[in-house]
Structures are given as structure tokens and as C-alpha cells.
């Protein structure tokens, strides 16, 4: 196993890694909508939060040697399904034509009052 850490995404606030590479896959921990350059600052609105969480995923994947196009599965947590149309719009914009498997789950309460959290599994980019 290889443990991934980048200062371009928020550092873990607990006993976990931003990502783990194992068996040809990259397992990215749930990314909240915080900007590593502005610690403690939560993006305003669900669209901005979804964009920031996806940017954090991108940074972690790049640190592992992959890209958003290597995602095979995504789980998106939202605090309210009413947010889903905006989150889906931002998600589609970030992934363009790429369509990995995806699950959407409602979690009534995400850490630090976030409205969205994104967790992905990706394949390791071939050299």
C-alpha cells in the first residue's frame, strides 16, 4: 500500500489518509468542501461546495498520479436531496463526458456543517 498526501487538499483531521493506493486502485477518502489555501473556510452554497470538494478530489488523484478521468466509482453525500440538481450539474461539469458508477446518499449531518462530501475510487494511471 502507498499512502497519498498533498497539501493542495485539506489535510486529514483524524486518523486516516487522503488516499491509499492498493491493488491498482486509488481509494480517496471523503473530501469536504474546504480550500487548503484557506483553512477553516467553508465554501458558500451547495454549488460552490460541490465544486470545492471535487477540486480536492482532483488534487488528491493528481498526487497519486491519476486524474478525474480515472474515477471508476463515486459516492456523493448531500444533506438534502433538494441540493441534488445543483450538485449533479457541477459534477457533470467537472467530469465532462466521463461517467463513472455513482451513488448519491443523503446524510442529514456532514462534518463541520458541510452540505456535500465526495468520495471516489479510481484506477491507477498506466505509465
Amino acid at each position: 500500500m502507498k499512502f497519498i498526501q498533498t497539501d493542495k487538499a485539506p489535510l486529514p483531521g483524524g486518523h486516516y489518509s487522503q488516499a491509499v493506493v492498493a491493488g491498482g486502485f486509488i481509494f480517496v477518502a471523503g473530501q469536504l468542501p474546504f480550500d487548503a489555501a484557506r483553512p477553516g473556510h467553508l465554501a458558500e452554497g451547495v454549488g460552490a461546495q460541490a465544486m470545492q470538494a471535487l477540486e480536492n478530489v482532483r488534487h488528491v488523484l493528481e498526487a497519486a498520479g491519476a486524474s478525474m478521468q480515472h474515477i471508476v466509482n463515486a459516492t456523493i453525500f448531500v444533506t438534502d436531496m433538494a441540493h441534488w440538481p445543483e450538485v449533479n450539474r457541477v459534477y457533470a461539469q467537472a467530469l465532462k463526458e466521463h461517467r463513472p458508477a455513482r451513488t448519491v446518499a443523503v446524510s442529514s449531518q456532514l462534518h463541520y456543517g458541510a452540505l456535500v462530501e465526495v468520495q471516489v475510487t479510481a484506477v491507477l494511471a498506466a505509465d
Side-chain angles (χ1 to χ4, degrees), residues 3 5 10 15 25 32 62 67 76-77 94 100 107 109 117 126:
F3 299 95
Q5 182 170 310
H15 189 73
F25 290 95
L32 290 170
E62 288 175 353
S67 73
I76 302 175
F77 299 94
S107 176
Q109 193 173 38
E117 182 173 358

Side-chain angles (χ1 to χ4, degrees), residues 81-95:
M81 279 309 286
H83 298 315
W84 182 243
E86 180 64 8
V87 171
N88 190 54
R89 183 191 68 75
V90 171
Y91 179 86
Q93 182 180 17
L95 272 76

